Amino acid sequence: MAEIEGLDDLLTALNSGQSIPGGSLLHATMHAASQESLRITAELNGRYNSPAEVRALMSELTGHEVPRSFQLFPPFSADFGKNIHLGEDVFINSGCRFQDQGGIEIGDGSLIGHNAVITTLNHDMVASRRADMHPARVVIGRGVWFGANVTVLPGVKIGDGAVLGAGAVVTKDVSAGAIVIGVPAKQVGMVPLE
């Protein structure tokens, strides 16, 4: 894996919520990391890989070893890769897309359904600064279940055990154990207690 110059500075800025101005050195570093992510995900998606090979490629993508219990069914894409943090026994189904510059944390035992999209960046609303990016971490608790085609917007926190119904567009925090559906997602119930 090639060393990406300035990656530590970029991660520090992103994880502190600092805006990344378009055309800046940090912005250039983000693009360099994205090129590496494209290369790794092309390897992940371009042929059959055993579960161990998938974990090795995901470890290369994220820059740290993923748990042995992690499972992913390709195809998968991440446009950065270096700010994904996976707990034990996480399963990501096929077709998922992560925009992880702002940070994505997925807790132990969470299941991410087909074609989920998790976003962590917003562009600036002012047209002259539209290339500026504003990161906001997405935190997914333990034992969360995403149905197919769920979209999570930047800055959302999802509590332990929550269920996000198929097609939900999650624009705000979800309480632990809540069941949410719709566009925008609204709570319709609670997960039954064991």
Side-chain angles (χ1 to χ4, degrees):
M1 172 170 62
E3 183 71 25
I4 300 170
E5 186 175 339
L7 181 60
D8 289 340
D9 291 339
L10 175 60
L11 285 168
T12 297
L14 290 167
N15 290 330
S16 68
Q18 178 181 326
S19 294
I20 308 299
S24 67
L25 288 175
L26 292 175
H27 194 253
T29 300
M30 188 182 300
H31 278 278
S34 293
Q35 291 305 303
E36 180 174 282
S37 177
L38 290 170
R39 177 188 62 75
I40 295 166
T41 55
E43 290 179 38
L44 177 67
N45 300 324
R47 65 176 183 86
Y48 171 76
N49 291 285
S50 70
E53 290 169 325
V54 167
R55 286 191 303 275
L57 286 164
M58 286 299 290
S59 295
E60 183 180 0
L61 177 68
T62 62
H64 51 267
E65 190 170 343
V66 300
R68 277 187 58 82
S69 60
F70 170 73
Q71 295 182 61
L72 177 134
F73 287 176
F76 172 79
S77 68
D79 60 0
F80 184 63
K82 301 303 181 210
N83 217 354
I84 298 171
H85 305 277
L86 303 163
E88 295 285 343
D89 298 310
V90 168
F91 173 69
I92 298 174
N93 218 324
S94 61
C96 292
R97 298 180 177 271
F98 288 9
Q99 180 200 51
D100 64 288
Q101 287 89 337
I104 296 172
E105 296 177 22
I106 303 178
D108 297 346
S110 288
L111 309 175
I112 309 300
H114 291 89
N115 302 315
V117 175
I118 302 174
T119 63
T120 65
L121 285 179
N122 279 312
H123 288 277
D124 203 278
M125 293 303 289
V126 176
S128 63
R129 295 193 312 265
R130 192 63 45 86
D132 294 1
M133 289 182 259
H134 308 291
R137 179 171 301 276
V138 169
V139 178
I140 299 163
R142 300 164 73 104
V144 172
W145 174 24
F146 282 36
N149 297 301
V150 167
T151 298
V152 177
L153 298 188
V156 168
K157 292 176 180 47
I158 300 168
D160 293 348
V163 174
L164 286 57
V169 176
V170 185
T171 62
K172 60 184 181 179
D173 291 355
V174 175
S175 300
I179 301 169
V180 300
I181 62 170
V183 180
K186 294 189 180 353
Q187 184 171 338
V188 295
M190 292 297 290
V191 172
L193 297 175
E194 292 183 37

